[in-house]
Amino acid sequence: DVKVTQSSRYLVKRTGEKVFLECVQDMDHENMFWYRQDPGLGLRLIYFSYDVKMKEKGDIPEGYSVSREKKERFSLILESASTNQTSMYLCASSLYTGPPYEQYFGPGTRLTVT
Amino acid sequence: QKEVEQDPGPLSVPEGAIVSLNCTYSNSAFQYFMWYRQYSRKGPELLMYTYSSGNKEDGRFTAQVDKSSKYISLFIRDSQPSDSATYLCAMSSTGNQFYFGTGTSLTVIP
């Protein structure tokens, strides 16, 4: 079974703090993704990576950065957390080669910025 | 205009009912269509995948894609309490970046 794990289920941070969200997958998947999920807005893609040290902006990259130094690990960084970044953050991974392009999701990190 | 529109519900049905969930989209280049199911406090899991137009059946679940109308549906027959979850549609033109609907919350009442 593919397993995607995220470092924390719940996180509370203060405005202005630097926040690291870690994601690890154990199936040697090339693609990895970071989404945020908000009521009424659904899942929105922040960044994705299709290889080590490669990254592509998604729909809402502002205020975020990412790091992928190893194939199995994809980190999301909030350089200076703000209250509008309070959200559920979901990491996902998928194989690069061909459909169905199924994405395997982690359990999510609920981040609250106060 | 959003790429993908989905009625958020909530939808509440009695056990055994047929459930119909729908999404519309604006990008005619979309060709990969998926339905994910998300239980409370869990990440989404792939339920159905369809390429281009047509129907696909898997047990009690049927996915339909009508590209001419830019409309996709998920039907659940003989719904069970264990089907209570949020259902998200997702679609893509390339397979790299998927656009998700907002999700429809479904409760099946025993």
Side-chain angles (χ1 to χ4, degrees):
Chain A
D1 269 357
V2 177
K3 197 162 187 181
V4 179
T5 56
Q6 295 184 228
S7 50
S8 306
R9 292 301 302 271
Y10 300 94
L11 210 52
V12 180
K13 295 292 181 180
R14 293 195 182 276
T15 302
E17 278 193 84
K18 191 169 186 175
V19 181
F20 293 87
L21 302 182
E22 304 283 338
C23 175
V24 178
Q25 51 94 2
D26 66 358
M27 283 301 291
D28 204 35
H29 284 175
E30 294 86 356
N31 293 346
M32 296 190 75
F33 307 82
W34 274 107
Y35 296 90
R36 62 178 283 177
Q37 186 174 31
D38 300 289
L41 296 175
L43 267 72
R44 292 180 292 166
L45 183 64
I46 304 171
Y47 269 96
F48 69 98
S49 168
Y50 51 88
D51 201 353
V52 175
K53 297 192 186 295
M54 305 300 286
K55 60 186 179 184
E56 294 282 345
K57 291 180 181 179
D59 297 318
I60 51 164
E62 297 79 17
Y64 303 94
S65 61
V66 290
S67 172
R68 193 167 181 200
E69 296 295 320
K70 293 185 177 181
K71 191 174 186 180
E72 68 271 18
R73 189 178 296 268
F74 192 34
S75 302
L76 180 69
I77 303 152
L78 287 66
E79 294 289 343
S80 177
S82 63
T83 55
N84 63 10
Q85 293 178 309
T86 291
S87 186
M88 171 68 84
Y89 289 88
L90 288 162
C91 174
S93 71
S94 73
L95 280 170
Y96 178 74
T97 51
Y101 301 111
E102 177 177 359
Q103 295 190 17
Y104 295 85
F105 286 84
T109 296
R110 184 164 293 283
L111 172 67
T112 302
V113 182
T114 61
Chain B
Q1 185 185 5
K2 285 185 183 177
E3 296 269 9
V4 181
E5 299 277 358
Q6 182 175 10
D7 186 343
L11 197 57
S12 186
V13 301
E15 184 175 352
I18 296 173
V19 176
S20 172
L21 305 168
N22 310 294
C23 289
T24 58
Y25 62 95
S26 56
N27 189 344
S28 57
F30 287 155
Q31 53 180 342
Y32 302 103
F33 302 93
M34 294 182 168
W35 286 95
Y36 283 82
R37 179 172 60 194
Q38 185 176 20
Y39 290 114
S40 181
R41 291 187 289 277
K42 296 278 180 81
E45 293 179 311
L46 183 65
L47 187 61
M48 297 285 284
Y49 159 77
T50 311
Y51 171 70
S52 194
S53 279
N55 293 1
K56 187 171 184 178
E57 191 173 318
D58 184 1
R60 297 184 295 110
F61 299 89
T62 300
Q64 285 186 353
V65 175
D66 182 349
K67 289 192 75 179
S68 61
S69 301
K70 298 191 182 71
Y71 188 88
I72 71 170
S73 301
L74 177 71
F75 297 96
I76 307 174
R77 290 184 300 280
D78 187 26
S79 55
Q80 302 295 309
S82 58
D83 295 328
S84 298
T86 296
Y87 290 81
L88 301 134
C89 61
M91 45 199 83
S92 174
S93 55
T94 62
N96 267 341
Q97 182 170 351
F98 276 83
Y99 294 88
F100 285 80
T102 52
T104 299
S105 175
L106 171 68
T107 301
V108 180
I109 303 166

